[in-house]
């Protein structure tokens, strides 16, 4: 086990009962050994991002948690929550429709780029549906890493088109 750190997780769903699925994901995270859910953002509806057309809008949220899991174990826990709620990662289409997505955005200040694990999440700085809910929960939040900075500044730049 690692020392306890703050983790940021991004949740999304655009298939099935989206809100119920996000609530179930939060409950599953809270029920995972080594994870303590501290706060959950407002759920926000967003258009899909990416190259897959004609899919339903997403419902997204951000979870702030404390964890003593190392980043690999935290990612495995996120994948276990996804699987428990019906996501088959072997058939998941990138940017396509899905019953649930649980992404690890940050795990403490860890910056890593390995096969299967990139922290902070490589597109977090480009995602209003991550930055906005995160800022709601933590107005002083900072995204670590090469594309990092104060979340408020990243969100402002993104919305102004200067990112």
């Amino acid at each position: 086990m690692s020392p306890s750190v703050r983790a940021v997780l991004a949740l999304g769903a655009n298939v099935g009962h989206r809100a119920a699925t996000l609530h179930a994901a939060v409950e599953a995270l809270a029920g995972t050994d080594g994870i303590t859910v501290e706060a959950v953002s407002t759920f926000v509806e967003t258009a899909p991002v990416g190259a897959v057309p004609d899919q339903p809008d997403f419902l997204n949220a951000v979870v702030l948690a404390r964890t003593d899991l190392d980043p690999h174990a935290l990612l495995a826990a996120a994948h276990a929550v996804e699987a428990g709620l019906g996501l088959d990662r072997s058939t998941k289409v990138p940017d396509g429709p899905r019953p649930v997505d649980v992404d690890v955005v940050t795990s403490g200040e860890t910056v890593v780029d390995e096969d299967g694990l990139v922290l902070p999440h490589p597109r977090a700085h480009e995602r209003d549906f991550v930055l906005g809910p995160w800022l709601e929960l933590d107005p002083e939040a900072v995204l670590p890493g090469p594309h990092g900075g104060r979340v408020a500044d990243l969100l402002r730049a993104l919305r102004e088109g200067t990112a």
Side-chain angles (χ1 to χ4, degrees), residues 77-153:
H79 288 176
V81 169
E82 291 175 336
L85 293 171
L87 180 67
D88 180 350
R89 294 190 70 77
S90 70
T91 60
K92 176 182 170 183
V93 175
D95 297 328
R98 51 195 164 272
V100 68
D101 220 1
V102 180
D103 289 335
V104 179
V105 178
T106 66
S107 180
E109 298 296 317
T110 300
V111 176
V112 63
D113 188 350
E114 301 173 356
D115 187 33
L117 179 64
V118 179
L119 289 175
H121 190 285
R123 289 175 304 286
H125 67 287
E126 303 172 341
R127 302 291 201 229
D128 193 304
F129 58 84
V130 172
L131 299 174
W134 185 5
L135 185 63
E136 169 195 328
L137 297 176
D138 183 359
E140 302 302 317
V142 174
L143 177 69
H147 300 290
R150 292 185 63 245
V151 170
D153 297 337

Side-chain angles (χ1 to χ4, degrees), residues 25-36 66-67 69 73-74 77-78 80-81:
V26 171
E27 288 178 22
L29 288 167
T32 300
D33 286 342
I35 298 174
T36 302
R66 298 284 318 166
T67 185
L69 300 177
L74 182 59
V81 169

